[in-house]
Amino acid sequence: MQKIMGYMKRAILDYNMIEDGDKIAVGVSGGKDSMVLLSGLAGLRRFLGKDFSLVAITLEMGFPNGRMDFSPITKYCENLNIEHVVRRTRIGEIVFDERKEKSPCSLCAKMRRGILHEETKNNGCNKLAMGHHMDDAIETFLMNLSVEARIACFQPVSYLSIRDITMIRPMIYMPEKEAVRAASQGLFPVVKSKCPIDGTTKRQDMKEFIKEREALEPGFKKRIFHAMKSAHISDW
């Protein structure tokens, strides 16, 4: 985790993501990325030089194939001395059963964000940390470019004036392979998603495309990421 916390610390300091007195909600799906985020922020409480607190927030999505068991995450949070809030939702039922969306990801993400923002405020937090890493940023940038014909990506720090919440992404400098390595070492529990289309989305297609380009042209991802940062894409 030391290397991971190094990536996170650099991003936090570069973009002034965390300040004294912050109460940060951490979006925890139970997947490897969100668990790395939670673990890294928990560790940085000792080394960052900032006085901040954490609350882990998990949305139970209500997918048609059954509820998910987040008790291992709750126990892990207890060991870290972090409160774990689990909010049951009907997002999965609405998207797949009621609306029968042909392209469900957009509506699912929109509903998920809304409830996460609500729970952030309900728990007295002024910031919401999300587990997007460097690979996510590259995928998002290339998807926006190739599908929507626009040059954009999510921001490292963004203020939501309607909710009075600041969203932060402390893992933007971290390659996904670090999360894969940490999960394989069993450093934290992981709860597999029950999403019916997990692994078959457009984002997964882009992930495979980038993997192919990286194999053909080593350093492809780093060059794209460097270009995004150098051009200050979306306030980077």
Side-chain angles (χ1 to χ4, degrees):
M1 286 298 298
Q2 291 297 324
K3 188 174 183 180
I4 288 171
M5 287 193 288
Y7 283 116
M8 293 175 66
K9 182 178 180 180
R10 183 158 60 92
I12 289 168
L13 295 179
D14 280 357
Y15 293 101
N16 194 31
M17 293 183 182
I18 297 177
E19 299 172 308
D20 286 330
D22 282 342
K23 185 174 183 182
I24 304 171
V26 185
V28 177
S29 66
K32 62 176 175 44
D33 299 337
S34 65
M35 293 307 297
V36 165
L37 175 67
L38 180 66
S39 303
L41 287 174
L44 285 172
R45 289 180 300 185
R46 302 191 302 273
F47 306 116
L48 191 61
K50 303 285 185 180
D51 181 19
F52 64 96
S53 58
L54 302 170
V55 177
I57 298 180
T58 297
L59 303 185
E60 208 301 314
M61 299 292 287
F63 288 124
N65 51 358
R67 297 268 178 191
M68 296 170 64
D69 177 17
F70 292 106
S71 57
I73 310 300
T74 300
K75 184 173 179 57
Y76 182 71
C77 287
E78 289 174 357
N79 293 335
L80 295 175
N81 195 28
I82 295 174
E83 180 184 3
H84 184 211
V85 176
V86 180
R87 166 83 177 264
R88 285 199 165 194
T89 78
R90 295 183 59 247
I91 295 174
E93 297 170 31
I94 293 170
V95 171
F96 290 101
D97 292 341
E98 296 180 13
R99 295 279 296 265
K100 301 186 186 304
E101 292 282 326
K102 293 182 179 179
S103 300
C105 294
S106 179
L107 177 60
C108 181
K110 184 177 181 180
M111 295 179 70
R112 189 171 65 246
R113 282 196 302 270
I115 298 176
L116 263 180
H117 297 165
E118 181 180 302
E119 283 300 317
T120 297
K121 296 299 290 185
N122 287 347
N123 286 276
C125 299
N126 64 311
K127 290 183 178 176
L128 170 61
M130 302 296 288
H132 298 111
H133 44 62
M134 185 182 78
D135 291 64
D136 287 324
I138 296 168
E139 291 159 17
T140 300
F141 172 71
L142 291 178
M143 287 175 70
N144 285 335
L145 184 65
S146 61
V147 178
E148 300 182 18
R150 63 190 181 98
I151 298 175
C153 186
F154 52 71
Q155 297 171 297
V157 177
S158 54
Y159 177 65
L160 309 177
S161 57
I162 295 177
R163 291 285 192 175
D164 189 27
I165 295 170
T166 299
M167 290 186 63
I168 61 175
R169 294 178 167 90
M171 300 200 309
I172 55 166
Y173 289 165
M174 188 196 80
E176 184 179 19
K177 65 182 181 181
E178 297 298 338
V180 173
R181 182 180 293 116
S184 69
Q185 293 172 347
L187 300 181
F188 42 74
V190 172
V191 176
K192 182 172 174 51
S193 172
K194 288 192 175 184
C195 174
I197 62 168
D198 187 36
T200 63
T201 62
K202 289 182 179 179
R203 180 169 290 275
Q204 184 63 36
D205 291 342
M206 180 57 73
K207 189 182 291 288
E208 293 300 324
F209 167 77
I210 293 171
K211 183 178 179 180
E212 291 173 7
R213 298 314 306 172
E214 181 69 25
L216 290 171
E217 303 173 35
F220 174 78
K221 290 194 295 184
K222 285 186 177 180
R223 290 190 293 273
I224 294 292
F225 189 77
H226 178 72
M228 292 167 62
K229 197 169 186 298
S230 298
H232 304 294
I233 297 298
S234 300
D235 292 333
W236 277 58

